[in-house]
Amino acid sequence: MKRQDHEPIVLSKTWLITLFLGLAGCITLTFAFIYLDDVAKFFQRITSALSPVFAGFVFAYLLTPAASMLERRLQKILKKTIQKHPKLSILPRGISSFLAVLLFIGTIALLMIVIFSQVVSGLSTAIDQIPHYFDIVMDNIEKLIHADNMVAEYLRDLKDRFSETKLGMGNVDTVDVTKKILSVVASGATSTLGFLYAVIVGFVIAVYLLMSRTRFVRQWRQILYAVFKPKTADWINKQMIAANHTFGTAAIGKLIDSLIIGMLCFIGVTIIGTPYTALIAVIVGITNVIPYFGPVIGAIPCFLLILMENPLQALYFLIFIIALQQFDANILAPKIVGQSIGLPAFWELFACLLGGGLFGIIGLIIGVPMFAVLYTLIRQFVMERLDERAKNGELASEFLWDTLDISGYIEDSGLFHDDESESPYLQHLILLEDIAQKPSGKKDTDMPK
């Protein structure tokens, strides 16, 4: 079917619009830089207001595999009922979405109940042991101060400087200190309440997102093919699917890996006989989600907690956790996570450092999956460009295979094709376009009767 030709856009007719948009953009950017603090506060308020929505998207994204699995099971169970009453076809998705979120909340609540008593016991033990360890530390510092070396000289200098401060001379306003402490406590309580609000509302939003996930995907594709040409939209849609697969498998794989490590840690510390077994297993499992630095972040507080009760068991725990992390890094994680992201070890470390430096703990967690998506897109783009140049005769195939170490044929994504008829969406769009341009009230003589 031949596509109708449209009248080309003449640039001379649109220069006023282009000029207006360019000037408006420059003025907007100028005011944004002048009032940068106000603009930053405005966006911060928007981010704070939408934090439950962001939390809901995260929960829905992580729970989509579980909800889909439950939906398939419920469709089999309710198959006969749905055939008799077609209006109940939405029932499996609604029930599965609600159950997935409910099971997730129940798992978190169960973990908190299990470790709550151990957290309280650990804190009470730490509070009881802190004065004893403080006395030991002070005795060692006194010995160092009275010694004759560079460290003792540096400590004496610090002591003299401290004695000249208001705190060292005892001239501290207790009212001012109390106000600052209360301000910090109030700020922490406000942040905690805000976090709980975002989490609770986020779970509610996650249910709605899981129930409507097919509609949101359909709307995204409608916008995509309305804004871009079919060839470009087809390529973007394909890359989004690949990015979703890379990010999803990396995130789910890391969660499964951390769950297994937490269970192995619980078994190991139970055999060793260390105290606070459930608390230690949960800390090690949760912090294991952070690549590279997570094992260290989780092992240090657990080691100190055990050290306060039994130094020998703390040593056993340290040896065990090193062995466990070596097993995870060299055997378990490559099998579960490594194959799903296809990211070399150097770039994983690079992504951790970059994500952590920009976004803190959240950046450490999502840095590797996000960079894996970017790495995959760049690699595919480079491969496709090289393949296109080889097909055009700009590069010899032997040069690609021998010098650039690219063997085999590269899958063509369709972005660099000149033949738009290969797009699976193009014929449908052309048909809709012809129908829209057909005069109403006239019969199409080409259509079969």
Side-chain angles (χ1 to χ4, degrees), residues 74-141:
L74 288 174
Q75 284 177 345
K76 292 180 180 179
I77 295 173
L78 302 175
K79 183 178 180 180
K80 295 182 179 179
T81 305
I82 294 174
Q83 289 177 351
K84 294 180 180 179
H85 306 281
K87 292 183 179 180
L88 299 178
S89 59
I90 62 173
L91 197 60
R93 170 156 296 188
I95 296 176
S96 62
S97 302
F98 180 75
L99 283 179
V101 175
L102 188 63
L103 289 174
F104 185 69
I105 296 174
T107 303
I108 295 176
L110 181 62
L111 288 175
M112 293 180 65
I113 292 172
V114 169
I115 68 175
F116 179 75
S117 60
Q118 296 195 1
V119 170
V120 174
S121 177
L123 289 176
S124 61
T125 302
I127 292 173
D128 294 338
Q129 294 293 333
I130 282 176
H132 173 66
Y133 286 104
F134 182 77
D135 293 337
I136 295 176
V137 171
M138 291 304 297
D139 292 340
N140 291 326
I141 290 177

Coordinates of all heavy atoms in Angstrom, one line a residue, residues 74-141:
L74 N -3.7 -17.9 39.6 CA -5.1 -17.6 39.8 C -5.9 -17.7 38.6 O -7.1 -18.1 38.6 CB -5.2 -16.2 40.4 CG -4.7 -16.0 41.8 CD1 -4.8 -14.5 42.2 CD2 -5.6 -16.8 42.8
Q75 N -5.3 -17.4 37.4 CA -6.1 -17.6 36.2 C -6.4 -19.0 35.9 O -7.4 -19.4 35.4 CB -5.3 -17.0 35.0 CG -5.3 -15.5 34.9 CD -4.4 -14.9 33.8 OE1 -3.6 -15.6 33.3 NE2 -4.6 -13.6 33.5
K76 N -5.5 -19.9 36.3 CA -5.7 -21.3 36.1 C -6.8 -21.8 37.1 O -7.7 -22.6 36.7 CB -4.4 -22.1 36.3 CG -3.4 -21.9 35.2 CD -2.1 -22.7 35.5 CE -1.1 -22.5 34.4 NZ 0.1 -23.3 34.7
I77 N -6.7 -21.3 38.3 CA -7.7 -21.7 39.3 C -9.1 -21.2 39.0 O -10.1 -21.9 39.1 CB -7.3 -21.2 40.7 CG1 -5.9 -21.9 41.1 CG2 -8.3 -21.5 41.8 CD1 -5.3 -21.4 42.4
L78 N -9.2 -19.9 38.5 CA -10.5 -19.3 38.3 C -10.9 -19.4 36.8 O -11.7 -18.6 36.3 CB -10.4 -17.9 38.7 CG -10.1 -17.6 40.2 CD1 -10.0 -16.1 40.5 CD2 -11.2 -18.2 41.1
K79 N -10.3 -20.3 36.0 CA -10.5 -20.3 34.6 C -12.0 -20.6 34.3 O -12.6 -19.9 33.5 CB -9.7 -21.4 34.0 CG -9.8 -21.5 32.5 CD -8.9 -22.6 31.9 CE -9.0 -22.6 30.4 NZ -8.1 -23.7 29.8
K80 N -12.6 -21.6 34.9 CA -14.0 -21.9 34.7 C -14.9 -20.8 35.1 O -15.9 -20.5 34.4 CB -14.4 -23.2 35.4 CG -13.6 -24.4 34.8 CD -14.0 -25.7 35.5 CE -13.3 -26.9 35.0 NZ -13.7 -28.2 35.7
T81 N -14.6 -20.2 36.3 CA -15.5 -19.1 36.8 C -15.4 -17.9 35.8 O -16.5 -17.3 35.5 CB -15.0 -18.7 38.2 OG1 -15.0 -19.8 39.0 CG2 -15.9 -17.7 38.7
I82 N -14.3 -17.6 35.3 CA -14.1 -16.5 34.3 C -14.9 -16.8 33.0 O -15.5 -15.9 32.4 CB -12.7 -16.2 34.1 CG1 -12.0 -15.7 35.4 CG2 -12.5 -15.2 33.0 CD1 -10.5 -15.5 35.3
Q83 N -14.8 -18.0 32.6 CA -15.5 -18.4 31.4 C -17.1 -18.2 31.5 O -17.7 -17.8 30.6 CB -15.2 -19.8 31.0 CG -13.8 -20.0 30.4 CD -13.5 -21.5 30.1 OE1 -14.3 -22.4 30.5 NE2 -12.3 -21.7 29.5
K84 N -17.6 -18.5 32.7 CA -19.0 -18.3 33.0 C -19.4 -16.8 33.2 O -20.4 -16.4 32.7 CB -19.4 -19.1 34.2 CG -19.3 -20.6 34.0 CD -19.8 -21.3 35.2 CE -19.7 -22.9 35.1 NZ -20.1 -23.6 36.3
H85 N -18.4 -16.1 33.8 CA -18.7 -14.7 34.1 C -17.5 -13.9 33.6 O -16.5 -13.6 34.3 CB -18.9 -14.5 35.6 CG -19.9 -15.3 36.2 ND1 -21.3 -15.1 36.1 CD2 -19.8 -16.5 36.9 CE1 -22.0 -16.0 36.7 NE2 -21.1 -16.9 37.2
P86 N -17.5 -13.4 32.3 CA -16.4 -12.7 31.8 C -16.0 -11.4 32.5 O -14.9 -11.0 32.4 CB -16.8 -12.4 30.3 CG -17.9 -13.4 30.0 CD -18.6 -13.7 31.3
K87 N -17.0 -10.8 33.2 CA -16.7 -9.6 33.9 C -15.7 -9.8 35.0 O -15.1 -8.8 35.5 CB -18.0 -9.0 34.5 CG -18.9 -8.5 33.4 CD -20.1 -7.8 34.0 CE -21.1 -7.3 32.9 NZ -22.3 -6.7 33.5
L88 N -15.5 -11.0 35.4 CA -14.5 -11.3 36.5 C -13.1 -11.6 36.0 O -12.3 -12.0 36.8 CB -15.0 -12.6 37.3 CG -16.4 -12.5 38.0 CD1 -16.7 -13.8 38.7 CD2 -16.4 -11.4 39.0
S89 N -12.9 -11.2 34.7 CA -11.5 -11.5 34.2 C -10.5 -10.6 34.8 O -9.3 -10.9 34.8 CB -11.6 -11.2 32.7 OG -12.0 -9.9 32.4
I90 N -10.9 -9.5 35.4 CA -9.9 -8.6 36.1 C -9.6 -9.1 37.5 O -8.7 -8.5 38.2 CB -10.4 -7.1 36.1 CG1 -11.7 -7.1 36.9 CG2 -10.6 -6.6 34.7 CD1 -12.2 -5.6 37.2
L91 N -10.3 -10.1 38.0 CA -10.2 -10.5 39.4 C -8.8 -11.1 39.6 O -8.2 -10.8 40.7 CB -11.3 -11.5 39.7 CG -11.5 -11.8 41.2 CD1 -11.9 -10.5 41.9 CD2 -12.6 -12.9 41.4
P92 N -8.2 -12.0 38.8 CA -6.9 -12.5 39.1 C -5.8 -11.4 39.2 O -5.0 -11.5 40.1 CB -6.6 -13.4 37.9 CG -7.9 -13.8 37.4 CD -8.8 -12.6 37.6
R93 N -5.8 -10.4 38.4 CA -4.8 -9.4 38.5 C -5.0 -8.6 39.8 O -4.0 -8.2 40.4 CB -4.9 -8.4 37.2 CG -4.0 -7.2 37.4 CD -3.7 -6.6 36.0 NE -2.8 -7.6 35.3 CZ -2.2 -7.3 34.1 NH1 -2.3 -6.1 33.6 NH2 -1.5 -8.2 33.5
G94 N -6.2 -8.2 40.1 CA -6.4 -7.5 41.3 C -6.0 -8.2 42.6 O -5.3 -7.7 43.4
I95 N -6.4 -9.5 42.6 CA -6.0 -10.3 43.8 C -4.5 -10.5 43.9 O -3.9 -10.4 44.9 CB -6.8 -11.6 43.8 CG1 -8.3 -11.4 43.9 CG2 -6.3 -12.6 44.9 CD1 -9.1 -12.7 43.8
S96 N -3.9 -10.8 42.7 CA -2.5 -11.1 42.7 C -1.7 -9.8 43.1 O -0.7 -9.9 43.8 CB -2.0 -11.6 41.3 OG -2.3 -10.6 40.4
S97 N -2.1 -8.7 42.6 CA -1.4 -7.4 43.0 C -1.5 -7.1 44.5 O -0.5 -6.8 45.1 CB -2.0 -6.2 42.2 OG -1.9 -6.5 40.8
F98 N -2.7 -7.3 45.0 CA -2.9 -7.1 46.5 C -2.1 -8.1 47.3 O -1.4 -7.7 48.3 CB -4.4 -7.2 46.8 CG -4.7 -6.9 48.3 CD1 -4.6 -5.6 48.8 CD2 -5.0 -8.0 49.1 CE1 -4.9 -5.4 50.1 CE2 -5.2 -7.8 50.4 CZ -5.2 -6.5 51.0
L99 N -2.1 -9.4 46.9 CA -1.4 -10.4 47.6 C 0.1 -10.2 47.6 O 0.8 -10.4 48.6 CB -1.7 -11.8 47.1 CG -3.1 -12.4 47.5 CD1 -3.3 -13.7 46.8 CD2 -3.2 -12.5 49.0
A100 N 0.7 -9.8 46.4 CA 2.1 -9.5 46.3 C 2.6 -8.4 47.3 O 3.6 -8.6 48.0 CB 2.5 -9.2 44.8
V101 N 1.8 -7.3 47.3 CA 2.2 -6.2 48.2 C 2.0 -6.7 49.7 O 2.8 -6.4 50.5 CB 1.3 -5.0 47.9 CG1 1.6 -3.9 48.9 CG2 1.6 -4.5 46.5
L102 N 0.9 -7.4 49.9 CA 0.6 -7.9 51.3 C 1.7 -8.9 51.8 O 2.2 -8.8 52.9 CB -0.7 -8.6 51.4 CG -1.3 -8.9 52.8 CD1 -1.4 -7.7 53.6 CD2 -2.6 -9.7 52.7
L103 N 2.2 -9.8 50.9 CA 3.2 -10.7 51.3 C 4.5 -10.0 51.6 O 5.3 -10.3 52.5 CB 3.4 -11.8 50.2 CG 2.3 -12.8 50.1 CD1 2.5 -13.7 48.9 CD2 2.2 -13.7 51.3
F104 N 4.8 -8.9 50.8 CA 6.0 -8.1 51.0 C 6.0 -7.4 52.3 O 7.0 -7.4 53.0 CB 6.2 -7.1 49.8 CG 7.4 -6.4 49.8 CD1 8.6 -7.0 49.6 CD2 7.4 -5.0 50.1 CE1 9.8 -6.2 49.6 CE2 8.6 -4.3 50.1 CZ 9.8 -4.9 49.9
I105 N 4.9 -6.8 52.6 CA 4.7 -6.1 53.9 C 4.8 -7.1 55.0 O 5.5 -6.8 56.1 CB 3.4 -5.4 54.0 CG1 3.3 -4.3 52.9 CG2 3.1 -4.8 55.3 CD1 2.0 -3.5 52.8
G106 N 4.2 -8.3 54.9 CA 4.2 -9.3 55.9 C 5.7 -9.8 56.2 O 6.1 -10.0 57.3
T107 N 6.4 -9.9 55.1 CA 7.8 -10.4 55.3 C 8.6 -9.4 56.0 O 9.4 -9.7 57.0 CB 8.4 -10.6 53.9 OG1 7.7 -11.6 53.2 CG2 9.9 -11.2 54.0
I108 N 8.5 -8.1 55.7 CA 9.2 -7.0 56.4 C 8.8 -7.0 57.9 O 9.6 -6.9 58.8 CB 9.0 -5.7 55.7 CG1 9.6 -5.7 54.3 CG2 9.6 -4.6 56.5 CD1 9.3 -4.4 53.5
A109 N 7.5 -7.1 58.1 CA 7.0 -7.0 59.5 C 7.5 -8.2 60.3 O 7.9 -8.1 61.5 CB 5.5 -7.0 59.5
L110 N 7.6 -9.4 59.7 CA 8.1 -10.6 60.4 C 9.5 -10.4 60.7 O 9.9 -10.8 61.9 CB 7.8 -11.8 59.5 CG 8.3 -13.2 60.1 CD1 7.5 -13.5 61.4 CD2 8.1 -14.3 59.1
L111 N 10.3 -9.9 59.8 CA 11.7 -9.7 60.1 C 11.9 -8.7 61.2 O 12.8 -8.9 62.1 CB 12.4 -9.2 58.8 CG 12.7 -10.2 57.7 CD1 13.3 -9.6 56.5 CD2 13.6 -11.4 58.2
M112 N 11.1 -7.6 61.2 CA 11.2 -6.6 62.3 C 10.9 -7.2 63.6 O 11.5 -6.9 64.7 CB 10.4 -5.4 61.9 CG 10.8 -4.6 60.7 SD 9.8 -3.2 60.4 CE 10.1 -2.2 61.8
I113 N 9.8 -8.0 63.7 CA 9.4 -8.6 64.9 C 10.5 -9.6 65.4 O 10.8 -9.6 66.6 CB 8.1 -9.4 64.7 CG1 7.0 -8.4 64.5 CG2 7.8 -10.2 66.0 CD1 5.6 -9.0 64.1
V114 N 11.1 -10.3 64.5 CA 12.1 -11.3 64.9 C 13.4 -10.6 65.5 O 13.9 -11.0 66.5 CB 12.5 -12.2 63.7 CG1 13.7 -13.0 64.0 CG2 11.3 -13.1 63.4
I115 N 13.8 -9.5 64.8 CA 15.1 -8.9 65.2 C 14.9 -7.8 66.3 O 15.8 -7.3 66.8 CB 15.8 -8.3 64.0 CG1 15.0 -7.1 63.5 CG2 16.0 -9.4 62.9 CD1 15.7 -6.4 62.3
F116 N 13.6 -7.4 66.6 CA 13.4 -6.3 67.5 C 14.0 -6.6 68.9 O 14.7 -5.8 69.5 CB 11.9 -6.0 67.6 CG 11.6 -4.9 68.6 CD1 11.9 -3.5 68.2 CD2 11.1 -5.1 69.8 CE1 11.6 -2.5 69.1 CE2 10.8 -4.1 70.7 CZ 11.0 -2.8 70.3
S117 N 13.6 -7.8 69.4 CA 14.1 -8.2 70.7 C 15.7 -8.2 70.8 O 16.3 -7.8 71.8 CB 13.5 -9.5 71.2 OG 13.9 -10.5 70.3
Q118 N 16.3 -8.7 69.7 CA 17.7 -8.8 69.6 C 18.3 -7.4 69.5 O 19.4 -7.2 70.0 CB 18.2 -9.7 68.5 CG 17.7 -11.1 68.7 CD 18.4 -12.1 67.7 OE1 19.3 -11.7 67.0 NE2 18.1 -13.3 67.8
V119 N 17.7 -6.5 68.8 CA 18.2 -5.1 68.7 C 18.2 -4.5 70.1 O 19.1 -3.8 70.5 CB 17.3 -4.3 67.7 CG1 17.7 -2.8 67.8 CG2 17.5 -4.8 66.3
V120 N 17.0 -4.6 70.8 CA 17.0 -4.1 72.2 C 18.0 -4.7 73.1 O 18.7 -4.0 73.8 CB 15.5 -4.3 72.8 CG1 15.5 -3.8 74.2 CG2 14.5 -3.5 71.9
S121 N 18.2 -6.0 73.0 CA 19.2 -6.7 73.8 C 20.6 -6.2 73.5 O 21.5 -5.9 74.3 CB 19.1 -8.2 73.7 OG 20.1 -8.8 74.4
G122 N 20.9 -6.0 72.2 CA 22.2 -5.6 71.7 C 22.5 -4.2 72.2 O 23.6 -3.8 72.6
L123 N 21.5 -3.3 72.1 CA 21.7 -1.9 72.5 C 21.9 -1.8 74.0 O 22.8 -1.1 74.5 CB 20.5 -1.1 72.1 CG 20.3 -0.8 70.7 CD1 19.0 0.0 70.4 CD2 21.5 0.0 70.1
S124 N 21.2 -2.6 74.8 CA 21.4 -2.6 76.3 C 22.8 -3.1 76.6 O 23.4 -2.6 77.5 CB 20.3 -3.4 76.9 OG 20.4 -4.8 76.5
T125 N 23.2 -4.2 75.9 CA 24.6 -4.7 76.2 C 25.6 -3.6 75.8 O 26.6 -3.5 76.5 CB 24.8 -6.0 75.3 OG1 23.8 -6.9 75.7 CG2 26.2 -6.5 75.6
A126 N 25.4 -3.0 74.7 CA 26.4 -2.0 74.3 C 26.4 -0.8 75.3 O 27.5 -0.3 75.6 CB 26.0 -1.4 72.9
I127 N 25.2 -0.4 75.7 CA 25.2 0.7 76.7 C 25.9 0.3 78.0 O 26.6 1.1 78.6 CB 23.8 1.1 77.0 CG1 23.2 1.8 75.8 CG2 23.7 2.1 78.2 CD1 21.7 2.1 75.9
D128 N 25.7 -1.0 78.4 CA 26.4 -1.5 79.6 C 27.9 -1.6 79.5 O 28.7 -1.3 80.4 CB 25.8 -2.8 80.0 CG 24.4 -2.7 80.5 OD1 24.0 -1.6 80.9 OD2 23.7 -3.7 80.4
Q129 N 28.4 -1.9 78.2 CA 29.8 -2.2 78.0 C 30.5 -0.9 77.6 O 31.8 -0.9 77.7 CB 30.0 -3.2 76.9 CG 29.4 -4.6 77.3 CD 30.3 -5.3 78.4 OE1 31.5 -5.0 78.5 NE2 29.6 -6.2 79.1
I130 N 29.8 0.1 77.2 CA 30.5 1.3 76.7 C 31.4 2.0 77.8 O 32.6 2.3 77.5 CB 29.5 2.3 76.1 CG1 29.1 1.9 74.7 CG2 30.1 3.7 76.1 CD1 28.0 2.8 74.1
P131 N 30.9 2.1 79.0 CA 31.8 2.7 80.1 C 33.1 1.9 80.3 O 34.2 2.5 80.5 CB 30.9 2.7 81.3 CG 29.5 2.7 80.8 CD 29.5 1.9 79.6
H132 N 33.0 0.6 80.2 CA 34.2 -0.3 80.4 C 35.2 0.0 79.3 O 36.4 0.2 79.6 CB 33.7 -1.7 80.5 CG 34.9 -2.7 80.5 ND1 35.8 -2.7 81.6 CD2 35.3 -3.6 79.6 CE1 36.7 -3.7 81.4 NE2 36.4 -4.2 80.2
Y133 N 34.7 -0.1 78.1 CA 35.6 0.1 76.9 C 36.1 1.6 76.9 O 37.2 1.8 76.5 CB 34.9 -0.2 75.6 CG 34.7 -1.7 75.4 CD1 33.5 -2.3 75.6 CD2 35.8 -2.5 75.0 CE1 33.3 -3.7 75.4 CE2 35.6 -3.8 74.8 CZ 34.4 -4.4 75.0 OH 34.2 -5.8 74.8
F134 N 35.3 2.5 77.4 CA 35.7 3.9 77.4 C 36.9 4.1 78.4 O 37.9 4.8 78.1 CB 34.6 4.8 77.8 CG 34.9 6.3 77.8 CD1 35.0 7.0 76.7 CD2 35.1 6.9 79.1 CE1 35.3 8.3 76.7 CE2 35.5 8.3 79.1 CZ 35.6 9.0 77.9
D135 N 36.8 3.4 79.5 CA 37.9 3.5 80.5 C 39.2 2.8 79.9 O 40.3 3.4 80.1 CB 37.5 2.7 81.8 CG 36.4 3.4 82.5 OD1 36.2 4.7 82.3 OD2 35.7 2.8 83.3
I136 N 39.0 1.8 79.2 CA 40.2 1.1 78.6 C 40.8 2.0 77.6 O 42.1 2.2 77.5 CB 39.8 -0.2 77.9 CG1 39.3 -1.2 79.0 CG2 41.0 -0.8 77.1 CD1 38.8 -2.5 78.4
V137 N 40.0 2.7 76.7 CA 40.5 3.6 75.7 C 41.2 4.8 76.4 O 42.3 5.2 75.9 CB 39.4 4.1 74.8 CG1 39.9 5.2 73.9 CG2 38.8 2.9 74.0
M138 N 40.6 5.3 77.4 CA 41.2 6.5 78.1 C 42.6 6.1 78.7 O 43.5 6.9 78.7 CB 40.3 7.0 79.1 CG 39.0 7.7 78.6 SD 39.4 9.0 77.4 CE 40.3 10.2 78.5
D139 N 42.6 4.9 79.3 CA 43.9 4.4 79.9 C 45.0 4.3 78.9 O 46.1 4.7 79.1 CB 43.7 3.1 80.6 CG 42.8 3.2 81.9 OD1 42.7 4.4 82.4 OD2 42.3 2.2 82.3
N140 N 44.6 3.8 77.7 CA 45.6 3.7 76.6 C 46.0 5.0 76.1 O 47.2 5.2 75.7 CB 45.0 2.8 75.5 CG 44.9 1.3 75.9 OD1 45.7 0.8 76.7 ND2 43.9 0.7 75.4
I141 N 45.1 6.0 76.0 CA 45.4 7.3 75.6 C 46.4 8.0 76.6 O 47.3 8.7 76.2 CB 44.1 8.1 75.4 CG1 43.4 7.6 74.2 CG2 44.5 9.6 75.2 CD1 42.0 8.3 74.0

